[in-house]
Structures are given as C-alpha cells and as structure tokens.
C-alpha cells in the first residue's frame, strides 16, 4: 500500500518525530510507513488521516500489489 504521509507532512512543516509523538508510535514506524515497508493498523491509519483533516483514502492509496 502506498501513501502520501511524507508529502502531506512536509507540506505542513511537521517532522517525523512530531508526527510519531502525536500518533503514539516511534519515528521508525513513521519512516517505515513513508517508505512502504509497513502497513498501518486501521486505527493508526484513521488517526493519521484525522490528524491531517483528511479521509483515509486521501492519505493511503489502495491498489493491486
């Protein structure tokens, strides 16, 4: 699954460490999400999307892999 976390985060001037702290995860988790090495739980995906004021579908790109 692909996502737009890094793009959105950078456009808003938020560091990985800041987002990680707000989401209750490690900076490494955010890095892994951004690099496509980790798929989030539905709860984490919802928290991230809600924090950005977006829907899950606007942040995460679901498709055939």
């Amino acid at each position: 699954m692909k996502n737009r976390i890094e793009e959105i985060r950078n456009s808003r001037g938020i560091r990985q460490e800041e987002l990680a702290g707000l989401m209750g995860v490690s900076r490494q988790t955010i890095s892994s999400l951004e690099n496509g090495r980790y798929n989030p739980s539905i709860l984490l995906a919802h928290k991230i999307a809600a924090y950005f004021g977006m829907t899950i579908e606007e942040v995460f790109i679901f498709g055939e892999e």
Side-chain angles (χ1 to χ4, degrees), residues 4-23:
R4 299 177 52 222
I5 297 171
E6 184 174 16
E7 169 195 341
I8 298 163
R9 181 179 58 72
N10 285 335
S11 73
R12 298 179 186 204
I14 301 166
R15 296 184 347 259
Q16 283 184 341
E17 295 85 358
E18 293 175 85
L19 183 59
L22 292 165
M23 298 299 114

Side-chain angles (χ1 to χ4, degrees), residues 1 40-50 55-56 59-60 62:
M1 172 184 357
S41 68
I42 191 68
L43 179 60
L44 180 55
H46 180 268
K47 285 174 70 172
I48 291 170
T55 65
I56 290 174
V59 178
F60 296 90
F62 299 90

